[in-house]
Amino acid sequence: MELNVDLSFEKICDRYMHCYGYLDYARSVLMKFNGVVEVGIGPKQSSFILDPEQTCFVVFVEQKKQATELAASAFIPKELVGIKTDVVQIGTRMMAIHNELDARWHKQLANSAI
């Protein structure tokens, strides 16, 4: 899996911070969907490439299902409060570079809270 990084770390932090402001609300809405186990923040994944220019709510599910297996009311919205969602099956999105990016962002968030 690849990470497409054209933005500076500061711009990525700004995008994460924007999403972070809505994370509690997103969790309150998205955790009600059957099979959702957690909601976080991260870059949108498309064709095995992570795109930090599309920071989104990452919706972790037990098992990803085909659209034909779901009722219309079971579809996770493509976006919430203007922020895209990315539905990810647990255990399919573990990349060292993403984890390092998250660690740097969390450290900056902690430092700014002081």
Side-chain angles (χ1 to χ4, degrees), residues 59-111:
V59 183
F60 292 98
V61 296
E62 294 171 357
Q63 182 177 2
K64 205 162 177 183
K65 297 182 179 180
Q66 297 295 321
T68 55
E69 298 177 81
L70 297 170
S73 62
F75 279 90
I76 293 171
K78 292 187 183 270
E79 70 175 45
L80 190 63
V81 294
I83 299 169
K84 293 183 180 187
T85 61
D86 193 8
V87 179
V88 176
Q89 184 171 320
I90 292 175
T92 62
R93 188 174 164 152
M94 298 170 58
M95 297 136 300
I97 191 161
H98 178 67
N99 293 337
E100 188 270 337
L101 180 65
D102 281 350
R104 286 180 62 195
W105 181 77
H106 284 290
K107 182 177 180 183
Q108 177 149 329
L109 179 64
N111 289 340

Side-chain angles (χ1 to χ4, degrees), residues 13-23 41 57 81-83 105:
C13 284
D14 288 345
R15 291 171 190 250
Y16 269 60
M17 191 60 114
H18 175 74
C19 291
Y20 188 73
Y22 294 100
L23 184 57
I41 301 169
F57 295 121
V81 294
I83 299 169
W105 181 77

Side-chain angles (χ1 to χ4, degrees), residues 3-9 11-12 50-53:
L3 181 65
N4 179 17
V5 182
D6 290 331
L7 295 174
S8 69
F9 179 69
K11 288 205 184 269
I12 292 171
L50 296 174
D51 184 0
E53 292 185 18

